[in-house]
Amino acid sequence: MKSISLVLGANRATLSGPRSKQYRVRQNARAFAKRLRRAGFGVRKWTNVTNKHFAAVARQMQEEGKGDGRIAEIFSAARDLCKAYGNTGISPTNDVFDVRRGSIANANSKAVAPAFVQGAIDKLENELGYEYGPRCAAQIRLQWELGLRREESAKVDLVADWNREGRSLLVRYGTKGGRPRTLTNLSDKQQAALQSALPFVSLSDRPGIHNLMPEGMGDKWQEKLSYAARLCGFTKKESGWTLHSNRHERFHTMYVTHTGFQPPNQHESIAAFQQAAHNAAGEEWPRLDAEARDEIEVTAGHSAGRRDVSDAYLGSSQ
């Protein structure tokens, strides 16, 4: 990739604090710079970055289903770079960009309606006007049935990492923080989703690794996937859902299957949830709730006990 001036500026800026912190700031600032370029902005100096640029990156990340916490993390680094070069014109808060970190326990469900996502998949599978329609449909099905992130669904190596007989899938490419995880006890529907993706396996530009992106396209594939989402109305503006809503639906389904009752964000209040859970499972509801959350947190790529993660998908039960 050709060097981008903002990226070079991030590498060369004078920063304070521990080296580990400086590394994270530079890494996230480079991510901001690359996203800004993808959004069509040619700004080349941190002194010229404005709130308009922050807003554009926020919209792009929200359309991809990135959480407010991740956006805020990148924005913090970008602000640090702006300040390092004397640019003090950036808003000190993220509210103006419709980014609100802090309320990670979502009060409202973001899970996509199953009928809608199935309709979107059907449309793309039969989309004659877009050559990548069927490939995108296969990846969206993986996001829906297995809870894969959009990048994971593009970079999963079905040749090496899907154990059909053992009904398991190792997810190790495109993961958050580079943390691999194994999905086990795959259902018939999940196995079928993986099978439907097999025709789209291609060699990556990384030797010996297969993925579901067109050969040689690399990370530009995400733009193609975003276009497919717009074609079938899978955007926050059009339908209220993004591709990340598939992940919410997977974990919502896992919760109901394990507990037998709906998660907190399907109720008007925590008290209403607790009453409904008690009505369904009696005194056992807290145990079932905890078990379901542990399973979901691990499936999502985190550690069991990360209630901030399950709260983000289900709402808080306490």
Side-chain angles (χ1 to χ4, degrees), residues 19-182:
R19 286 189 178 182
S20 58
K21 179 184 177 182
Q22 291 184 35
Y23 174 82
R24 289 194 302 272
V25 169
R26 295 185 202 278
Q27 186 179 46
N28 286 320
R30 289 193 295 266
F32 177 92
K34 292 174 183 178
R35 284 188 169 279
L36 196 57
R37 175 58 63 91
R38 279 175 51 191
F41 290 92
V43 59
R44 301 178 62 82
K45 295 182 179 180
W46 287 100
T47 52
N48 295 333
V49 173
T50 68
N51 288 320
K52 175 181 68 176
H53 299 123
F54 274 70
V57 171
R59 286 194 301 271
Q60 181 190 92
M61 295 185 71
Q62 287 166 343
E63 286 180 359
E64 293 180 7
K66 303 298 183 185
D68 283 4
R70 176 55 180 156
I71 300 174
E73 187 177 28
I74 284 185
F75 279 11
S76 176
R79 281 193 187 89
D80 284 350
L81 263 293
C82 288
K83 290 178 182 177
Y85 285 101
N87 180 353
T88 59
I90 306 302
S91 170
T93 66
N94 292 326
D95 288 356
V96 295
F97 310 121
D98 197 26
V99 174
R100 294 177 174 80
R101 186 176 190 173
S103 74
I104 193 167
N106 294 324
N108 300 309
S109 174
K110 297 180 180 178
V112 64
F116 175 86
V117 66
Q118 185 61 64
I121 290 170
D122 291 343
K123 176 177 173 58
L124 289 173
E125 286 179 338
N126 298 285
E127 182 56 63
L128 300 179
Y130 187 47
E131 61 177 318
Y132 298 125
R135 186 186 297 265
C136 292
Q139 290 184 24
I140 291 173
R141 187 182 296 277
L142 293 182
Q143 295 166 24
W144 179 34
E145 295 289 0
L146 287 93
L148 299 186
R149 299 180 178 94
R150 57 183 287 155
E151 187 172 353
E152 293 170 347
S153 73
K155 296 183 177 180
V156 64
D157 188 339
L158 298 184
V159 175
D161 296 337
W162 176 28
N163 183 340
R164 300 192 204 190
E165 292 72 24
R167 289 181 173 263
S168 67
L169 177 70
L170 173 61
V171 183
R172 51 177 169 159
Y173 302 113
T175 60
K176 186 174 182 179
R179 294 186 295 269
R181 67 187 184 280
T182 300

Side-chain angles (χ1 to χ4, degrees), residues 189-209:
K189 287 186 68 177
Q190 290 174 320
Q191 293 271 92
L194 292 167
Q195 182 67 38
S196 71
L198 271 181
F200 304 105
V201 168
S202 63
L203 278 174
S204 169
D205 53 4
R206 295 168 294 172
I209 299 175

